[in-house]
Amino acid sequence: MINFDNLWALFVFYGLNALYAIVLLGLGWWLARFIERWILRLAHSTRHVDPTIADFLASLVRYLVLAVVVIAVLQIFGIQTTSLVAVLGAASLAIGLALQGTLSNLAAGVMLLIFRPFKLGDSVEVAGKAGTVRSLSLFMTELVTPANIQILLPNGAVWGAAIVNNTTYPGPAKMELAFQAPAGPAGEALARDIVAALKVDPRVLPGAEPAVAVSKLVDLSKPGAGVVELTVSASVATADVGAVKAALMQRINASMGRLTADGLASEAHAT
């Protein structure tokens, strides 16, 4: 026989719990949105916080509030959340270990956005690459070379490397580049070619003449086939250091290739 009194008591009990849960979810949703908008307004009112990091922090706080609300709703229905939280913690740990490289880039992106070692439009050298900063996101840093080539660097590599910002201090700067070259007439010819190229480069400032000098004796054990280190220096605008250096490296690489080809041709002719 159906006991309507018990059914009515269960209906009232679970109905009230469902009503409380709906009200709590609504309040939690409103509170999460309110806190998110408040953080965004607070962050946008100052210039010291990047919009990207502000959006990230606001979204993070919003989802944390929603997670607390969901746990509270489960407790209303008598569901033990201790084991659920433990399972979620273990799953989060496993996901974190699987995505540790991505999370490392995320953490590095947050640090870059907070400390701002460079800003958009700066000419930088980082992780062996040189270019102008086009964009900075939570995971990637985008550089553009003078040849209009895109370079995407993971933020972990950027944050963990030495950052040379050529734009921080405006004014003339001394550009220096060291490279190895053949000793003797071949190296002297290469030095003259580099100096001539720098003299006609409009980015090199007038006044101080570009120069190339021997900075180190690398290997002189073989007569006629020794190697020395040459250092080229020139006065350029701070923002043009990376571009001039990149163009100079390309020219040196091309000149070294011609010297190697001429040497092989001479050996073949002598043979």
Side-chain angles (χ1 to χ4, degrees):
M1 185 175 183
I2 300 176
N3 191 333
F4 290 99
D5 293 335
N6 291 337
L7 288 177
W8 176 253
L10 290 174
F11 176 77
V12 171
F13 176 76
Y14 286 107
L16 289 176
N17 286 344
L19 181 61
Y20 294 153
I22 293 173
V23 172
L24 184 59
L25 284 174
L27 290 176
W29 183 268
W30 176 83
L31 181 62
R33 292 291 299 173
F34 174 79
I35 295 177
E36 182 184 24
R37 289 194 296 267
W38 177 75
I39 293 177
L40 289 176
R41 285 198 302 268
L42 185 64
H44 293 163
S45 64
T46 176
R47 298 180 180 178
H48 301 288
V49 180
D50 190 271
T52 305
I53 192 65
D55 295 340
F56 170 73
L57 292 177
S59 299
L60 180 62
V61 172
R62 177 192 175 192
Y63 288 118
L64 286 176
V65 172
L66 290 177
V68 173
V69 172
V70 170
I71 292 175
V73 169
L74 293 177
Q75 288 181 341
I76 290 177
F77 290 99
I79 300 175
Q80 297 296 325
T81 58
T82 304
S83 58
L84 179 62
V85 171
V87 171
L88 290 177
S92 300
L93 178 60
I95 294 173
L97 292 175
L99 301 176
Q100 56 183 344
T102 302
L103 295 178
S104 175
N105 291 329
L106 174 62
V110 172
M111 299 301 289
L112 289 171
L113 290 170
I114 292 176
F115 291 99
R116 304 302 298 269
F118 50 79
K119 60 181 182 297
L120 301 185
D122 283 358
S123 174
V124 300
E125 299 175 39
V126 59
K129 305 297 182 180
T132 302
V133 181
R134 175 66 63 86
S135 66
L136 174 61
S137 65
L138 289 173
F139 296 96
M140 305 290 291
T141 298
E142 180 185 1
L143 303 181
V144 178
T145 67
N148 203 30
I149 298 175
Q150 181 190 55
I151 301 176
L152 296 176
L153 297 173
N155 285 336
V158 176
W159 181 251
I163 301 174
V164 179
N165 193 331
N166 300 314
T167 315
T168 302
Y169 303 108
K174 185 178 181 181
M175 187 276 302
E176 289 188 343
L177 177 64
F179 60 95
Q180 293 184 359
E188 295 174 359
L190 177 59
R192 290 192 298 269
D193 179 68
I194 293 173
V195 171
L198 288 174
K199 286 183 177 180
V200 298
D201 193 326
R203 295 169 295 188
V204 176
L205 301 178
E209 291 290 329
V212 179
V214 177
S215 56
K216 186 186 297 185
L217 301 177
V218 179
D219 183 13
L220 298 179
S221 59
K222 297 179 180 179
V227 178
V228 297
E229 182 183 88
L230 300 179
T231 299
V232 54
S233 60
S235 180
V236 299
T238 305
D240 293 332
V241 171
V244 174
K245 187 177 292 187
L248 192 57
M249 286 189 292
Q250 292 179 355
R251 188 175 188 87
I252 292 172
N253 184 50
S255 299
M256 292 295 292
R258 288 195 299 270
L259 288 175
T260 302
D262 293 341
L264 293 175
S266 298
E267 291 180 2
H269 180 71
T271 302

